Amino acid sequence: MRTGSATYLARRPAPRTIAELDEHDLVRFRNPQSGRIQPWPHRTVVGTIGGTYEPRARFAFDDGDAVWGTMLAGGGMACVPLYLAAASLRSGAAVEVLADFRGAAASVVMLRRDRRLTPGRLATLMAFLSARAPDFSDLL
């Protein structure tokens, strides 16, 4: 999800296309294991997964919270997972841009071996996690 802080987007017009990201200050995530700056996934105009975009970075951090904090402080736009952006999007501190070009949806699932009887501790853990799974449907 590509986002910018409300203060940043008040100074700079929001991009309407992927190519217009080149005109913005971007805050990017650097993979701490590989040292590589992560590309930004996107969809094409017709809605298929279009690949990745590797814009130049004004800032690059190997910590997602640092990326998010810099973006919220007005340092530029960032591409972050929805779980990290949700609270700020709801409060209006962050604004999603290029929603039509979002990358592929990701989901979290629980897998277990197929058994007739589920061990009690596993059933308890699954119920605990399911009850606490965040609902992001208002942001999609």
Side-chain angles (χ1 to χ4, degrees):
M1 171 168 289
R2 281 165 285 289
T3 58
S5 70
T7 56
Y8 177 83
L9 292 172
R11 295 189 322 260
R12 310 272 303 268
R16 293 171 303 193
T17 66
I18 296 293
E20 287 181 13
L21 287 170
D22 288 336
E23 301 166 19
H24 286 271
D25 296 329
L26 305 176
V27 185
R28 309 244 342 251
F29 179 76
R30 180 184 307 275
N31 184 310
Q33 278 75 35
S34 69
R36 186 171 183 267
I37 295 178
Q38 296 298 109
W40 290 5
H42 67 87
R43 291 182 184 273
T44 64
V45 176
V46 293
T48 59
I49 299 301
T52 57
Y53 175 67
E54 300 205 31
R56 59 172 173 63
R58 179 175 180 207
F59 300 105
F61 300 99
D62 63 1
D63 177 89
D65 288 329
V67 170
W68 191 247
T70 302
M71 187 280 306
L72 281 177
M77 295 185 359
C79 183
V80 298
L82 179 57
Y83 73 85
L84 188 61
S88 297
L89 288 168
R90 288 180 179 131
S91 73
V95 177
E96 181 180 10
V97 297
L98 300 172
D100 291 341
F101 298 95
R102 283 185 190 153
S107 60
V108 177
V109 297
M110 290 183 267
L111 297 175
R112 65 177 186 89
R113 291 180 58 181
D114 187 25
R115 292 185 174 173
R116 281 189 7 200
L117 300 174
T118 300
R121 66 182 180 265
L122 181 57
T124 301
L125 175 64
M126 289 171 64
F128 175 84
L129 293 173
S130 294
R132 286 157 182 79
D135 179 17
F136 298 127
S137 59
D138 62 315
L139 299 172
L140 297 176

